[in-house]
Amino acid sequence: MIVDQNGCPVGQNSNGVCPVSGAGARAGVRGCAFSGFSMDAQSVLYGAPQGPHTVKILRQREEKTMIDLLMVSETATKDLENADSLNPTPSQVLAMALGAPARRVLTRADEMGPLTGWRDGYLSSNYGFCPPEPNASPMALALSAGRVWSDICERMPGIVARGKIRETILQMPLVSGERDVIPDDALMAAVTCLGILASVYRYEGRNDGREGIAAEVNASAFLNATGDAEDEEPETKGVPRNVAIPLRTICKRVGRPLPHLTQFDLSLYNYKIRDPTNIDPYVARRENMDVRWPVFGDYAEATFLLCMAEVHGVFVQGPELIARCQEKVMERDNEGLKRDLAELKEMIDQLGPAFHKISMNSRSGENFSNPVQWGQRFAKFSAPLSGRVPALSGLALPLFHLMDAFLGRSSYATFLGVEALHLRGWFPLNIRAFIAAVETEYKVPDYIISTGDPTLIGLLDGLVESYAGERGFMGTHRYKVYGFLEVVAKTGRVETNGGSGSGDTQGRPWEEVHNSLSDSMIERLQPFRRTITKKPNELRGCFAECRAAAKILGRESIDNDPDRTTAKITIGLEGTGITFAPGDRLAIMPKNSTKDVTKMLLSLDLEERYSEEVPLDKSPEWTALARHMASVGRPWREEKKPWLTVRDILTCGHLAPLTREIVHSIHLLLRASSSTVLKVLASETWPVHGSIGDLLRIAVTEVPQDTWNKAFNQDDLSWLVQLVPVEVPRTYSIASYSADPMPKSVDLTISRAEHEISPLLRIESDPETKRAGVASGFLNPHPSQEKKGMKQDKVLIGVSRPINFQLPVSPSVSIGMFCGGSGIAPFRSFWASRIQHARHGRNILFLGVQSRSKFLYEEELVAHVRNGNLELHTAFSRDKNGLVYDSATRQLRNKIIEPRYLDATIVENARTVCDLIMSTKQGGCGGYIYICGSVSLYETVMTGIRRAIYVSCASSEKLPEILLATAFAERRMMLDIFMTPRPLSFDEPPIPMTELALHTGHREGSRMWIGVHGIVYDITDFLPTHPGGTLIVAASAGLDASRTFDDLAHTNNPEVSTLLPKYAIGRMAPKPKFHEERLDACYADWSRYLSLCVESLTTLSLEVQSILSDSDVWSQGDLLNMGGIRKFYQFQSRFLQNGFGTLFGPRLQELCLKLSFTVSTSGSLDESIPDVMGMTSRAKTSKAAVAVQKQIASIGAFVCDGAGAQAFENGILSYAREVVEQDLRFLELIREYVCTGMSAFDLVQQSVISDPRVEKLATNKLSRFLLSVLEKAAQRLQGFYDGLAALSLFNPRIERNPARARWQLVGRYIRDGSFFVYTGSDKPDFSSSSSTTTHRRRSGSERISFTDVVANINDMIRLRQRDVISAGGDPSTPVRPTLMPGPRNLALQQMDRASPTSPFVSTSTSSFFETLDADALHQINAFIHGNLNSIRNLSRVPPSLDTLDELDKLSRQLNHEDGDGEPSEPGQNGAPPTPPQRNSATLSPNPSIDSREGRPRQLVRPYSRSRDPSPNPAYYKLTVPT
C-alpha cells in the first residue's frame, strides 16, 4: 500500500486529527498509528518531506514571484544618484527563475537514478552519496553472467591466503560487459568487482616472493603471458583479458574515460548491512556493516573501508540539508536557515567519532586496524592501475568536496588542494553537478555575512569549526593519521594514499602529512579565521578556541554549603549561535581578580593609566589576542591595527601562579637586585602559588629606585606585554542539556580551588594566606566577594567536544557514571539527555561526597530516582548520614553508615559493575563506563572496579585487568580526569639518556619510558588506558618524544597535561657541556646513533609482535595463510638487505670516519684503527650470510606455492619464530653496546669538570674507546649470521606428514641442482644483487690505518656509482631520490610504492631510516670538505680527491649499501671494551671506580633475560666493567 506521508492513510486529511479514533497527535510517524505506515527514520530525524508528493512540496516552497525574492523594498533610495544597483543582475534573475540549483540536481538524480542503475553516481535526498539499497546492484550482478566476478571476489580472502590469485583469475571465463549481458542495475557492483580483480592480480605479481631476497630473477614476464596487444592501455597492461576487456567496457558505461578502481567503489559501494532494522541513530555504522568483497579479510582492511562508509552513512541527509539551506538563502528565510544549519552541524559533529573508530588498540575487537598489517597489505593493493587515473585516497570521497563547496572554500593552492580539484574532475557526473550547483549560486556563507545576524554568524562559525577546526572532524582525522602513519612509515610505508608525505625530506613522512593536512585546514578556515597566525595544532588550548562573547547570567548554590564552594554557573548563549551536546566542554577565558589587578597597578604606578593603550609590537602573542578579540562576532574581518589597554593586559594576562619563566624575566629586568626574587627563583618546586603583584610589591622595597624606573619605564609601556604572558582558557564540562537546537543558556558546575600563598610572598599588612584559583575564583567567587553587577560579566567562550567522552549512540545501552564532587557536571547532561527517550537503558550513578551538606543536586537526583530514571549509589567519606538505594523499590532511604570511600560502594554492587564492564560477547550487558573527577578519585574508582570484578566473576587476578583493557579498547570506558599538576623538584637526580634508551617496553613485563620536554615518564601502567593503544606509544618508546607531543597538541591539551604528571619519574639529564668543539660534535653524533639504534629496535619489535602474536597472519580458515609467509619473507628481506644498512651503513661510516680522524690527528700517522666497516662487510658476505639468504629465498618461493608451503607448515612457523627472536636479541645487544659508549661521555664530563685542561686528551681517549665499542658491535654481526645459519627451515620430523615433507624436500634439491655434485664453477648465487664489495679480506682482529679508512669511503662511492649505472642511470648526474622533494601526481606515487623495482616497495627500508642514511652521507661530505687539507695529509692521497667530491651528489640519493666478497671466518667474540682510563699525569681520579670497594662500577645495567638467548657466545649476557 502506498501511503501519503502528508495525509492520513484512511481519511486523506492532514489536520492532525485521526478520523478513526478521533484522537489528536499521537506518538508515531506524523501522528499516525496506522500499522501499515512506515517511514525512513533518518528522514524523520532531519525533517525531509517524504512520499510521492515530495517534489510537489519542494516546488511549492519556491512558489514566490521573483519580485518577492529579488527586489528589496526596504532599501533607502533617497540619496542614491545611480539606482542601477537596485536591479538584480541577469545571472540572479536566471537563477531565481530556475530555482535553487542544488534542489534541481538532487531532484533529477532522485528521478533518473533508479531508472539507469545510478550510472551517473549515487545521489539522493534520503541516502546522500550511499546506495539506497546496498544489496540491489550485487543481486543484479549475481543474476547475470557477471556472477563469476562476484563469486571470485567473495572467495578472495581465501584465494589470497592460499596463494592462488593468478591461477584462479586466469581460469575465469571471458564475460562481456555489454548491456545485453550486464544490465544497468548491476553496473556499480560490476565495476567494483572487476576493479578488485585487476588490482589484486597486479598486487600478486608485485609480491610473489621474488621481490626481496631471491634465488632467481623476478619473473615479471609472467605479467605479459596473457597475450597483451602492442597498443594495450597502461591501465590494463599485464592484466588478463578476461578481466581487462569487461573492465574497459563497464567503466565506459559508467562514464569513466579510463578503466580504474575508485575509493568510493571500495568503500561506499562495497558494504552490506547486518541488520537493516537497527536504525538508531543511523543504519550505516561500522558495527552494523561488513565489507561485501574484502581482499584480505582482516580487521585493518575492514575498519579502514567501513569507517569511510560510515562517515558517509552519517552524512546521508547532508545533500538534502545543503539543498534546503540554499533554498532558504534564495527565499531569505533566516529562521529556517538557522534550523537547517543547526541540523547540519549536528550531523557534522558525528563525523569525528565515526572516523575515530579506526583503532590501533589490539583489544578493540573488530575496530582494530593494525598499521603494520595495513601498510604491508591493503596499502600496496590499493595502488592505481596506472599513473593516469585517480589515486585511491580518502581525498577522493565526495563528502569533503561538498562541504568545501558549501562553506565557500576559495583557495586550493596547497598540494592537497590542487590534488582535490584534480580528483573532483573524475567524480560521477551527479556528484560533480551537485557540487557545482552548491558553489555557484546562493552561497550560504556570503549570505550569512551580508545579514549581520549574530546567531546565523555563530551557527556558521560553529559549523566551520565542527568540520575544519582543530577539535572538529579535520583535526580528529589529522591526529589519527599522524599516529597511524608514524608506525606505518617506520615499518616500510612512505606516505598516505593521498600523497601527503611525498615531499618529505627529513625521513619523517608522518610529520609531512601532518603539515600538509594543517595547510589544507588553514585554507578551509582562512575565510572565517583571518586572525590565524599559527598552525591548527598550536591553537589548541589557547584563546583562539574562544570565539564568542557571552554574559554570566547567574551563580546558584546547589548544596547546603554556606561558603558555596561549588556552584552552578549559568551563561547566556543568545545571539552566539553556540550549540552543544552531552559530554561537551565549555572553554572560558578567565579574568584576574580585582585584588590581583590592584596589586599590579600599585606596584607599577599605573593607577592613572588604567585605560591607556599599550604598544603591542614586541609581543606577537598579545597582538594575536588583540586581533582575536576584535574579530569576535565578525570573524571574516581583520583589524588593521589591533590595540589593547593596560586594563586588558592586566585582566586577561597570566598573573598567577608564578612560573619559573616569569620569575626569571623579572629577575633579569631588575638586574638581580631583589633578594626576594632570588629566593623565589631558588624554589625547588614549581609553580609557586602567588601572583606577580605579590612578588612586585615586595621587590619594590628592595630594588634601587633607578633600577626600578629603568625596568618599568613609564614613558614606554611596551615592557608590560613582555612581563605579563597571555592567559590560557580553562575548560569545564557542560552540566546541562537542551532539546532546543539553539539553546538559550548553558550551565557549569564550578568548584572553587584554593591554594596556600607561598610564605616568601606574604607581608604583614596583608593577613591573607590563601588565594582562590584564577578561573574558579572568577566564575565562582566567595559570596562575600561577589559584587553587584558581577553576574553580567562578559567572557569569551567556545565549545570543545572530547572524542573520548560521549554517550553511546543507542540510548538503550546502560551506562555507569562514577564521580566525586563537581565531577558530577557532565553526568547531569547525560541523564537529562537520556531520559528524553522513552526506552533508555539503565542510568547508574556512583557518587562520592564528603558530607550531606556538600551533596550536589540532591533534590534533582532524588526526583529522578523516584521517577525510575536513575539508580544512585553514594559514599560519604566524612558523614555517617548515608543514603542507600533500594533496588527492589527503586527508592533512596536514609541509613546510618560508617564513613567510607567510593570503592567500598562499588564492591557492594559488584555484580552490577561487573555486568557493565563485560561486553555482550563476554556475557555482560556491554555498558559504557564514565569516570569524572580528580586523579585520586580515578584511582579509588579503578581499585573498586578491580575488586568488584574479582569478587563477582574473576577466576584469576589477571582477569580484571583483561576486562578493563578490553573496555578501554572498545571505547566503552571513558575518562574525564582533572588535577593540579604535581610539582617536580629540580633537586631530584636526573635520568641519563642511556637509562631512557634501555626502557623501550618491547618485551613482555618490561617498562616503557618516554621523555617529554625534559621530563621522563614511566607510562607502562597508562598503556592499557591509552585511547590509541600501545602501538602508537611504542613508536616513541625510549626516546625524547617532545616533537611528537607538540605536533599532537598534547603539550597544551588539558586532557593530557593534567594526567601525565602522575607518571613522571624524574628529569632528563641535560646535555653535557664541553669546550672542545670536536668533543661536543662527537656527543651529538653518538647520541644520534643511539636514537637510531633505539628506533630500529622499537620498529623491529612492532613487526615482530605482529608476526608472533597475530593469529590471523598465519592462519585463515584453519589453513596456513600465505599472507603470513609473505609478511615474514618481506620483513626478513627488508631487515637483512636494508636494516643492517641503517645501523652498519652510512651512519656507522660517518662515526668511524670522524673518530678515526680524531685519533689520527692526535697520534702518529701510522697508528692502527679498528677495521669496523671491513668486518661488517665481510660478515654480510660470509658463508653464513649466504646460507641465511638462501633460506629466506626459499621462504619467498612458498609465497605462491600453497601446496609446497603446507608440506613444511610447522617448519616455516618454527623458523619464523626463531629468526625474528634472534633479530630482536641482536638489536638489543647493539643498543647496549651503544649505551656503553654513551655512558663514557658522563665519565669524560666528570673528568673535565675536575680538571678542564684534560679535555683534549679526553677527546682522544674517548674516540679510541668509541671505536673499540663499534669494533665489538661489528664482531657481533658475524655471530648473528652464524646463529641464523644454524637454524633450519626444512625439518620433516616436526611436520604433520613427515614422508610427504621428505619427498618435497628431495624434489626441491633435484630442481635447484644441490642434490648433485657440481663439477664446474657455475654455482647458483643466492646473495643479494647489490652485495659486491672491494674490501680486502682480513682477519676479524686486523687493524687498519686512516689511509684505509679513506680508501673504504672511496669504495663506498664506487659501489653507489655502480648501483646507479646498473639501474640505467647516469653516474655523473644524481638519480631521483627515494623521497621526492616536490609534489607529484598521487597515482604515480602509489605506482612507485607498489613497483617491485621501486624504493617504495615493502622490501626497501622505511623512509625514516632511508633519510637518516642520506643525512649521514651529507654529514660525511661536509666533514671531508671541512677538513680536506688534514685528510689529504693523513691519508696520503692525491690532492685531487675527485671521488670524495662526488659525495655531494650521492648524499642526495638514498641508495642501499650491501656487500659481498670472499667469505671470512666468524669474528672474534670478546668482551665489550672499557671506557678510557685516566692518565696519571693529567686526569683526575677515575670516577668509574667505587672508592668503598675498589672495584669497577657498571655504567650500563645488564639486560636481564630469563634464559641464554643463543648457544653462540655472541649472545652472552652483557656486563660492562669500567
Side-chain angles (χ1 to χ4, degrees):
M1 176 181 182
I2 299 177
V3 180
D4 184 355
Q5 298 184 23
N6 301 281
C8 174
V10 177
Q12 298 301 318
N13 67 326
S14 56
N15 57 10
V17 178
C18 177
V20 177
S21 64
R26 299 172 60 86
V29 181
R30 301 277 181 162
C32 179
F34 181 58
S35 61
F37 185 85
S38 63
M39 183 177 179
D40 182 71
Q42 299 183 29
S43 300
V44 176
L45 176 63
Y46 295 104
Q50 303 295 313
H53 303 295
T54 298
V55 176
K56 178 180 177 182
I57 298 167
L58 294 173
R59 288 176 176 169
Q60 285 175 349
R61 295 178 180 175
E62 303 173 7
E63 289 180 358
K64 295 182 180 180
T65 66
M66 287 187 282
I67 294 177
D68 293 334
L69 298 174
L70 290 176
M71 306 301 290
V72 184
S73 58
E74 293 82 1
T75 303
T77 60
K78 180 179 180 181
D79 299 327
L80 288 177
E81 295 182 2
N82 188 334
D84 291 346
S85 61
L86 298 178
N87 293 309
T89 64
S91 61
Q92 288 176 324
V93 174
L94 178 61
M96 190 61 62
L98 296 176
R103 173 63 62 197
R104 297 300 188 207
V105 174
L106 201 55
T107 301
R108 182 188 181 283
D110 275 327
E111 293 174 351
M112 297 297 297
L115 303 177
T116 61
W118 301 94
R119 292 173 55 188
D120 290 334
Y122 287 112
L123 176 68
S124 60
S125 300
N126 295 337
Y127 301 95
F129 301 118
C130 296
E133 173 50 61
N135 294 327
S137 187
M139 289 176 62
L141 183 63
L143 295 174
S144 70
R147 177 167 186 164
V148 64
W149 307 329
S150 60
D151 284 349
I152 293 179
C153 287
E154 286 178 3
R155 298 190 290 121
M156 189 58 69
I159 295 172
V160 172
R162 303 290 84 77
K164 297 183 177 180
I165 297 175
R166 291 177 290 186
E167 176 185 343
T168 303
I169 293 178
L170 290 174
Q171 293 174 353
M172 187 176 66
L174 174 61
V175 177
S176 172
E178 299 296 339
R179 186 171 185 176
D180 57 341
V181 179
I182 306 299
D184 286 346
D185 290 344
L187 281 177
M188 291 307 177
V191 75
T192 301
C193 288
L194 288 169
I196 290 175
L197 292 175
S199 295
V200 78
Y201 193 88
R202 286 271 183 88
Y203 165 82
E204 177 77 357
R206 293 162 175 163
N207 300 271
D208 60 354
R210 298 179 179 89
E211 68 275 15
I213 296 175
E216 56 186 274
V217 179
N218 193 328
S220 58
F222 183 85
L223 296 175
N224 296 321
T226 54
D228 291 333
E230 294 182 359
D231 59 346
E232 185 72 24
E233 294 179 344
E235 292 75 25
T236 53
K237 194 170 186 63
V239 176
R241 291 189 173 183
N242 53 0
V243 174
I245 292 175
L247 177 61
R248 284 195 296 265
T249 304
I250 295 294
C251 284
K252 287 181 180 178
R253 289 179 61 189
V254 296
R256 299 183 186 179
L258 296 175
H260 64 279
L261 182 69
T262 67
Q263 187 64 58
F264 37 87
D265 289 338
L266 284 176
S267 54
L268 303 188
Y269 308 161
N270 189 26
Y271 67 85
K272 51 187 176 182
I273 301 297
R274 296 177 183 175
D275 182 4
T277 65
N278 190 351
I279 61 174
D280 194 7
Y282 48 90
V283 177
R285 304 190 310 277
R286 165 67 180 95
E287 56 272 20
N288 195 36
M289 293 188 294
D290 290 306
V291 178
R292 183 178 299 278
W293 295 303
V295 176
F296 303 100
D298 55 47
Y299 285 156
E301 174 192 14
T303 304
F304 183 74
L305 295 178
L306 293 180
C307 282
M308 286 188 180
E310 179 173 353
V311 166
H312 288 77
V314 172
F315 198 70
V316 287
Q317 289 295 316
E320 167 64 25
L321 285 172
I322 287 176
R324 279 162 47 184
C325 285
Q326 194 179 68
E327 289 174 329
K328 298 301 187 299
V329 170
M330 185 186 74
E331 298 168 3
R332 293 193 173 91
D333 181 1
N334 289 1
E335 294 304 314
L337 182 58
K338 290 176 184 177
R339 291 191 299 270
D340 291 337
L341 283 176
E343 291 181 9
L344 183 60
K345 180 182 180 298
E346 180 184 355
M347 182 185 299
I348 298 299
D349 284 342
Q350 301 177 61
L351 296 181
F355 185 79
H356 201 60
K357 291 180 181 179
I358 299 177
S359 174
M360 293 171 61
N361 195 318
S362 59
R363 294 184 180 273
S364 57
E366 62 183 12
N367 285 343
F368 175 47
S369 185
N370 190 329
V372 178
Q373 196 174 76
W374 178 87
Q376 296 172 359
R377 280 187 174 183
F378 183 80
K380 289 189 289 184
F381 156 79
S382 62
L385 295 178
S386 80
R388 305 189 301 174
V389 296
L392 275 74
S393 164
L395 189 63
L397 294 175
L399 182 154
F400 311 121
H401 296 259
L402 177 58
M403 286 303 301
D404 287 346
F406 178 73
L407 294 176
R409 179 180 179 181
S410 57
S411 176
Y412 291 85
T414 60
F415 169 71
L416 292 180
V418 172
E419 193 61 32
L421 292 179
H422 163 69
L423 292 175
R424 187 185 298 182
W426 290 82
F427 277 3
L429 299 185
N430 269 343
I431 299 174
R432 291 181 62 189
F434 190 73
I435 293 173
V438 169
E439 66 182 356
T440 52
E441 293 294 336
Y442 307 115
K443 299 178 182 180
V444 175
D446 293 348
Y447 172 77
I448 290 175
I449 291 172
S450 67
T451 64
D453 187 320
T455 302
L456 272 177
I457 292 172
L459 282 168
L460 177 62
D461 186 79
L463 179 60
V464 170
E465 180 63 25
S466 180
Y467 169 65
E470 171 65 9
R471 295 183 183 268
F473 172 66
M474 288 295 172
T476 301
H477 169 264
R478 193 172 85 259
Y479 291 127
K480 178 66 68 175
V481 169
Y482 186 100
F484 194 86
L485 192 61
E486 180 178 5
V487 177
V488 173
K490 289 184 175 181
T491 54
R493 175 79 163 169
V494 178
E495 65 209 33
T496 67
N497 273 1
S500 302
S502 60
D504 172 56
T505 57
Q506 298 182 359
R508 302 175 71 89
W510 59 94
E511 292 184 358
E512 182 65 24
V513 171
H514 187 78
N515 294 332
S516 297
L517 294 174
S518 294
D519 294 340
S520 182
M521 286 176 61
I522 291 175
E523 281 188 333
R524 293 178 169 97
L525 293 171
Q526 199 66 45
F528 311 97
R529 307 275 195 277
R530 296 193 181 277
T531 59
I532 289 182
T533 57
K534 300 180 179 180
K535 290 192 174 183
N537 60 292
E538 297 173 346
L539 298 177
R540 180 171 293 215
C542 78
F543 56 80
E545 292 193 327
C546 302
R547 292 176 299 279
K551 292 181 179 180
I552 299 177
L553 302 181
R555 298 176 174 90
E556 179 183 344
S557 295
I558 50 177
D559 57 14
N560 297 320
D561 181 7
D563 293 332
R564 201 182 67 190
T565 305
T566 306
K568 182 179 75 173
I569 313 299
T570 302
I571 298 176
L573 298 180
E574 286 196 76
T576 63
I578 285 181
T579 63
F580 59 88
D584 285 358
R585 298 169 184 164
L586 195 71
I588 299 179
M589 277 293 289
K591 294 183 178 181
N592 291 308
S593 66
T594 304
K595 189 170 186 178
D596 283 340
V597 173
T598 302
K599 291 177 185 178
M600 292 288 292
L601 292 173
L602 294 175
S603 301
L604 299 172
D605 196 21
L606 297 174
E607 306 98 305
E608 304 298 327
R609 310 178 69 176
Y610 197 46
S611 301
E612 185 174 327
E613 185 177 330
V614 179
L616 304 178
D617 301 339
K618 296 182 179 180
S619 175
E621 281 294 316
W622 280 106
T623 303
L625 176 61
R627 287 200 176 108
H628 176 75
M629 293 175 67
S631 70
V632 170
R634 45 180 188 176
W636 62 92
R637 296 183 184 176
E638 183 176 1
E639 196 73 20
K640 293 183 178 179
K641 186 180 179 181
W643 57 274
L644 293 173
T645 64
V646 172
R647 174 183 178 177
D648 297 327
I649 302 294
L650 298 183
T651 302
C652 302
H654 180 94
L655 301 184
L658 293 173
T659 64
R660 191 181 184 93
E661 292 75 19
I662 292 175
V663 178
H664 188 259
S665 66
I666 295 175
H667 176 67
L668 295 178
L669 278 172
L670 299 180
R671 301 188 179 184
S673 57
S674 171
S675 59
T676 301
V677 174
L678 283 171
K679 291 177 183 177
V680 174
L681 198 57
S683 298
E684 294 183 2
T685 58
W686 294 89
V688 175
H689 290 295
S691 69
I692 298 178
D694 292 330
L695 182 60
L696 291 180
R697 68 178 179 177
I698 298 176
V700 71
T701 63
E702 302 171 341
V703 178
Q705 190 64 39
D706 291 345
T707 304
W708 188 270
N709 291 339
K710 289 180 180 179
F712 307 116
N713 183 7
Q714 296 296 309
D715 296 331
D716 181 9
L717 297 182
S718 59
W719 50 265
L720 186 60
V721 294
Q722 295 177 302
L723 174 67
V724 181
V726 177
E727 187 58 278
V728 296
R730 310 296 199 272
T731 57
Y732 297 95
S733 297
I734 292 176
S736 59
Y737 169 76
S738 174
D740 189 344
M742 289 175 286
K744 302 297 188 295
S745 65
V746 62
D747 292 341
L748 305 177
T749 304
I750 306 296
S751 180
R752 187 173 59 255
E754 292 187 342
H755 309 282
E756 288 283 343
I757 299 176
S758 171
L760 296 173
L761 302 176
R762 298 177 189 173
I763 58 176
E764 294 182 1
S765 59
D766 188 352
E768 188 178 39
T769 60
K770 291 185 177 181
R771 59 172 290 113
V774 175
S776 60
F778 163 67
L779 293 171
N780 179 28
H782 193 278
S784 63
Q785 299 176 354
E786 187 173 358
K787 298 180 180 180
K788 187 177 181 180
M790 196 172 182
K791 291 182 180 179
Q792 295 298 319
D793 284 340
K794 268 204 169 185
V795 292
L796 292 179
I797 63 171
V799 173
S800 64
R801 173 159 298 175
I803 293 294
N804 293 311
F805 206 79
Q806 292 185 328
L807 283 171
V809 293
S810 174
S812 61
V813 177
S814 298
I815 65 172
M817 302 166 282
F818 300 79
C819 63
S822 60
I824 198 175
F827 300 142
R828 186 167 182 256
S829 68
F830 277 19
W831 70 63
S833 170
R834 285 169 61 84
I835 62 178
Q836 302 294 320
H837 299 272
R839 297 180 179 179
H840 60 75
R842 297 172 65 186
N843 301 319
I844 308 170
L845 176 64
F846 289 85
L847 178 62
V849 191
Q850 287 185 353
S851 62
R852 290 293 292 269
S853 64
K854 295 188 177 182
F855 189 3
L856 307 180
Y857 300 110
E858 181 174 3
E859 294 182 2
E860 182 178 337
L861 288 171
V862 171
H864 284 310
V865 172
R866 287 175 180 170
N867 294 332
N869 295 323
L870 190 68
E871 301 174 29
L872 177 62
H873 305 280
T874 59
F876 299 100
S877 59
R878 301 179 186 177
D879 198 336
K880 293 184 178 180
N881 299 316
L883 274 178
V884 177
Y885 176 75
D886 189 339
S887 58
T889 61
R890 296 188 177 181
Q891 299 295 324
L892 291 172
R893 54 187 177 86
N894 295 308
K895 184 178 180 181
I896 302 299
I897 304 175
E898 289 298 318
R900 59 181 180 174
Y901 289 99
L902 195 56
D903 55 342
T905 303
I906 293 173
V907 175
E908 278 187 1
N909 297 272
R911 187 174 296 276
T912 298
V913 173
C914 189
D915 194 43
L916 283 171
I917 292 290
M918 297 176 69
S919 66
T920 53
K921 294 181 180 179
Q922 295 167 335
C925 69
Y928 280 59
I929 305 296
Y930 302 89
I931 305 175
C932 183
S934 63
V935 171
S936 59
L937 175 111
Y938 163 71
E939 293 174 343
T940 300
V941 170
M942 294 301 292
T943 300
I945 291 178
R946 289 187 180 97
R947 289 170 53 197
I949 295 174
Y950 185 75
V951 168
S952 176
C953 58
S955 57
S956 66
E957 294 183 356
K958 291 184 178 180
L959 184 59
E961 301 299 332
I962 294 174
L963 295 180
L964 286 172
T966 301
F968 272 111
E970 294 176 350
R971 298 182 66 243
R972 292 188 297 106
M973 196 161 192
M974 308 186 193
L975 309 177
D976 186 0
I977 307 301
F978 51 84
M979 67 171 289
T980 301
R982 179 174 68 89
L984 281 177
S985 173
F986 278 80
D987 290 343
E988 296 179 1
I991 297 174
M993 184 186 296
T994 53
E995 192 73 9
L996 174 63
L998 289 172
H999 289 83
T1000 51
H1002 63 278
R1003 292 284 188 179
E1004 186 176 356
S1006 61
R1007 311 296 295 181
M1008 184 180 292
W1009 294 3
I1010 61 171
V1012 179
H1013 295 304
I1015 309 297
V1016 178
Y1017 302 92
D1018 183 350
I1019 58 173
T1020 310
D1021 298 332
F1022 175 64
L1023 293 177
T1025 64
H1026 187 266
T1030 59
L1031 288 176
I1032 187 172
V1033 185
S1036 300
L1039 299 167
D1040 185 347
S1042 302
R1043 188 169 169 179
T1044 299
F1045 253 59
D1046 291 340
D1047 285 344
L1048 294 176
H1050 283 348
T1051 307
N1052 51 358
N1053 186 352
E1055 300 174 27
V1056 177
S1057 59
T1058 57
L1059 187 61
L1060 196 59
K1062 168 181 167 58
Y1063 304 100
I1065 58 175
R1067 297 186 179 276
M1068 290 179 63
K1071 175 185 174 183
K1073 296 181 179 179
F1074 302 111
H1075 296 91
E1076 178 70 22
E1077 184 178 347
R1078 286 189 296 179
L1079 188 56
D1080 198 57
C1082 184
Y1083 176 85
D1085 292 336
W1086 197 267
S1087 62
R1088 283 199 301 268
Y1089 193 61
L1090 175 59
S1091 297
L1092 176 62
C1093 291
V1094 173
E1095 290 202 271
S1096 298
L1097 176 59
T1098 54
T1099 298
L1100 181 91
S1101 67
L1102 295 177
E1103 297 195 73
V1104 167
Q1105 291 173 12
S1106 177
I1107 292 174
L1108 296 181
S1109 305
D1110 295 351
S1111 58
D1112 61 331
V1113 169
W1114 292 102
S1115 175
Q1116 198 271 345
D1118 296 327
L1119 296 175
L1120 181 63
N1121 189 346
M1122 296 300 104
I1125 297 178
R1126 178 183 286 113
K1127 179 182 180 64
F1128 170 65
Y1129 165 72
Q1130 293 178 346
F1131 161 76
Q1132 196 64 21
S1133 294
R1134 185 170 64 250
F1135 182 67
L1136 293 179
Q1137 287 182 318
N1138 304 108
F1140 289 142
T1142 301
L1143 286 176
F1144 296 97
R1147 183 64 70 186
L1148 180 64
Q1149 196 137 20
E1150 177 196 358
L1151 280 174
C1152 291
L1153 172 64
K1154 292 180 178 180
L1155 294 174
S1156 301
F1157 179 78
T1158 301
V1159 171
S1160 299
T1161 53
S1162 57
S1164 64
L1165 186 63
D1166 295 325
E1167 184 167 355
S1168 61
I1169 297 170
D1171 185 16
V1172 176
M1173 297 308 300
M1175 285 187 284
T1176 59
S1177 255
R1178 290 190 292 275
K1180 292 179 185 179
T1181 56
S1182 64
K1183 293 179 180 179
V1186 173
V1188 171
Q1189 293 187 34
K1190 181 178 179 180
Q1191 292 275 44
I1192 301 303
S1194 299
I1195 290 286
F1198 286 135
V1199 168
C1200 295
D1201 181 14
Q1206 289 175 5
F1208 300 100
E1209 178 177 349
N1210 292 337
I1212 294 173
L1213 295 176
S1214 175
Y1215 182 78
R1217 283 193 295 267
E1218 292 177 349
V1219 166
V1220 297
E1221 179 64 24
Q1222 290 210 24
D1223 294 343
L1224 203 58
R1225 290 175 183 169
F1226 176 70
L1227 290 186
E1228 289 170 346
L1229 191 64
I1230 298 301
R1231 176 188 59 174
E1232 292 181 17
Y1233 272 113
V1234 181
C1235 284
T1236 303
M1238 200 76 213
S1239 299
F1241 285 92
D1242 297 330
L1243 298 179
V1244 172
Q1245 184 186 29
Q1246 295 174 28
S1247 300
V1248 170
I1249 290 175
S1250 60
D1251 188 355
R1253 297 171 299 175
V1254 306
E1255 192 163 354
K1256 278 195 174 182
L1257 180 61
T1259 303
N1260 179 33
K1261 298 180 75 68
L1262 177 64
S1263 298
R1264 296 172 188 274
F1265 170 71
L1266 295 180
L1267 278 173
S1268 65
V1269 170
L1270 296 179
E1271 178 186 18
K1272 295 302 179 184
Q1275 290 174 353
R1276 298 296 188 190
L1277 182 59
Q1278 182 62 61
F1280 167 74
Y1281 277 117
D1282 291 340
L1284 289 185
L1287 302 176
S1288 176
L1289 171 64
F1290 303 107
N1291 191 353
R1293 291 177 299 174
I1294 64 174
E1295 302 299 341
R1296 297 179 181 177
N1297 190 336
R1300 183 181 65 170
R1302 289 189 182 97
W1303 278 112
Q1304 288 270 4
L1305 190 57
V1306 170
R1308 292 180 62 86
Y1309 289 158
I1310 293 174
R1311 284 192 299 272
D1312 66 20
S1314 58
F1315 189 77
F1316 308 99
V1317 178
Y1318 286 102
T1319 59
S1321 58
D1322 296 330
K1323 298 182 180 180
D1325 181 13
F1326 296 103
S1327 60
S1328 173
S1329 60
S1330 60
S1331 58
T1332 304
T1333 184
T1334 57
H1335 281 292
R1336 299 185 307 276
R1337 178 177 177 177
R1338 300 185 179 95
S1339 63
S1341 59
E1342 184 176 345
R1343 301 170 73 82
I1344 59 176
S1345 66
F1346 185 72
T1347 303
D1348 295 318
V1349 174
V1350 177
N1352 287 343
I1353 293 177
N1354 292 333
D1355 294 340
M1356 177 190 70
I1357 297 171
R1358 282 193 291 270
L1359 280 173
R1360 279 158 170 72
Q1361 288 177 329
R1362 186 207 61 190
D1363 290 341
V1364 172
I1365 295 172
S1366 64
D1370 182 359
S1372 63
T1373 58
V1375 297
R1376 179 176 62 84
T1378 301
L1379 301 179
M1380 287 298 292
R1384 303 171 64 224
N1385 178 275
L1386 300 190
L1388 289 175
Q1389 292 165 4
Q1390 291 186 17
M1391 293 279 290
D1392 278 345
R1393 289 197 301 271
S1395 172
T1397 60
S1398 168
F1400 290 105
V1401 80
S1402 65
T1403 51
S1404 69
T1405 188
S1406 72
S1407 61
F1408 174 66
F1409 295 116
E1410 285 177 329
T1411 307
L1412 291 181
D1413 288 351
D1415 178 66
L1417 289 172
H1418 176 73
Q1419 295 295 332
I1420 291 173
N1421 179 61
F1423 181 81
I1424 289 176
H1425 284 282
N1427 300 274
L1428 197 56
N1429 291 331
S1430 299
I1431 291 176
R1432 284 170 176 165
N1433 294 332
L1434 289 173
S1435 60
R1436 290 172 285 181
V1437 296
S1440 62
L1441 216 66
D1442 294 332
T1443 54
L1444 293 180
D1445 294 337
E1446 291 174 343
L1447 272 173
D1448 188 30
K1449 298 177 182 178
L1450 293 170
S1451 64
R1452 297 192 300 270
Q1453 305 172 17
L1454 303 182
N1455 299 298
H1456 309 292
E1457 181 182 38
D1458 247 325
D1460 68 6
E1462 297 182 11
S1464 63
E1465 298 299 323
Q1468 299 294 326
N1469 293 314
T1474 58
Q1477 301 297 319
R1478 66 184 180 90
N1479 185 298
S1480 59
T1482 56
L1483 289 180
S1484 60
N1486 188 356
S1488 66
I1489 300 297
D1490 194 319
S1491 59
R1492 295 173 296 176
E1493 301 182 14
R1495 62 187 183 190
R1497 182 189 306 149
Q1498 288 185 340
L1499 284 178
V1500 179
R1501 187 174 55 208
Y1503 188 87
S1504 59
R1505 301 188 178 97
S1506 59
R1507 60 184 177 86
D1508 185 23
S1510 170
N1512 191 309
Y1515 296 107
Y1516 285 166
K1517 187 185 297 183
L1518 176 66
T1519 303
V1520 185
T1522 61

